[in-house]
Amino acid sequence: MNGEILDISDKLTRSRYWRAVKRDTIPKDIGNSETGGERNFPATLVECCVAALVGEDSKTPVRIFPPESFTPSLRDDCDFVANGWRVEVKTKFGEQPPRERFTCHVHAKSAAQAWDYIVFAYFRGEKLGRCEETGVQDLGEPEGIYALGFLSREEWEQCRVFLKKGECWEKDPAFPVRNDCYAVLVEDLRPMSELLAGSPLAVGM
């Protein structure tokens, strides 16, 4: 495993909390989104924290905008732009701290997104049930936010495994998947330190 699950809860400032509130309340129509762009505040909050991590720790110029200020292609393909590179953030949710071995999923519908780098993250909070209309998990206040690791587009396409709804992956057999998706293990991710120190986003790798 990469051995570097970063606790980035310190990136959760009051201003970023309200930035996430603003971004989450703007109507969106994102065809490649798992939820079609429906509101998902915890994931939006995590995206703001990961953007802050990349921008502050690698001294990288980061643009994270309300969705209406993105061009249609950017709005479909990424959560923020770092030095011209499109970065997508996928968030897992749970009530316990992140485990060292579990699976990160990308909904099959989202596979068409043309991002350059993907960061997997984890939101720890009380589960309050799923929205009947969208299926999005409603969560309580954040108890922890973690960056699990990242992959380039090419790396993700090389190591991903396709799973059908209800299928269990032999490498993580305890939990059948809720939707058709692509899966990678946390241990297959590159550590965030490689993204932040001599960042490929910063040096144009």
Side-chain angles (χ1 to χ4, degrees):
M1 65 171 287
N2 68 43
E4 288 190 10
I5 294 178
L6 291 184
D7 185 340
I8 59 171
S9 303
D10 63 323
K11 302 300 181 186
L12 178 54
T13 62
R14 181 180 296 273
S15 63
R16 290 187 188 116
Y17 184 95
W18 288 109
R19 172 183 284 182
V21 169
K22 180 179 179 181
R23 293 184 75 228
D24 193 52
T25 53
I26 296 170
K28 318 186 244 320
D29 180 16
I30 306 178
N32 288 334
S33 165
E34 177 180 348
T35 63
E38 292 290 341
R39 294 179 61 185
N40 187 351
F41 175 71
T44 305
L45 187 62
V46 172
E47 292 159 14
C48 290
C49 291
V50 171
L53 174 73
V54 172
E56 293 175 1
D57 290 38
S58 68
K59 304 298 187 291
T60 301
V62 169
R63 293 187 296 144
I64 181 167
F65 301 126
E68 82 280 8
S69 64
F70 274 65
T71 64
S73 61
L74 280 179
R75 203 169 60 213
D76 280 356
D77 289 334
C78 69
D79 291 314
F80 63 92
V81 178
N83 200 29
W85 296 99
R86 298 163 297 181
V87 181
E88 177 69 7
V89 181
K90 296 299 183 187
T91 304
K92 291 179 68 73
F93 306 104
E95 296 182 320
Q96 303 300 320
R99 294 181 286 123
E100 292 184 349
R101 181 180 177 84
F102 59 67
T103 307
C104 298
H105 303 101
V106 175
H107 195 286
K109 182 183 290 188
S110 300
Q113 293 173 294
W115 39 263
D116 301 303
Y117 289 90
I118 187 167
V119 174
F120 290 94
Y122 186 91
F123 179 104
R124 182 186 178 191
E126 181 184 3
K127 292 184 178 181
L128 304 177
R130 291 186 180 273
C131 172
E132 292 183 4
E133 185 177 343
T134 66
V136 173
Q137 179 68 251
D138 191 16
L139 298 157
E141 291 297 308
E143 298 174 17
I145 295 176
Y146 305 85
L148 307 177
F150 80 101
L151 292 170
S152 68
R153 179 81 194 198
E154 182 179 3
E155 291 166 336
W156 177 71
E157 291 179 348
Q158 289 175 348
C159 70
R160 69 185 186 182
V161 173
F162 179 72
L163 301 173
K164 287 188 171 293
K165 180 179 179 179
E167 187 177 355
C168 292
W169 190 14
E170 60 182 15
K171 291 186 177 182
D172 190 12
F175 303 101
V177 297
R178 290 175 48 83
N179 302 283
D180 291 357
C181 65
Y182 292 92
V184 296
L185 291 174
V186 169
E187 62 195 59
D188 294 330
L189 305 181
R190 293 169 64 184
M192 290 299 294
S193 60
E194 292 184 15
L195 190 68
L196 303 175
S199 171
L201 304 182
V203 302
M205 177 176 167

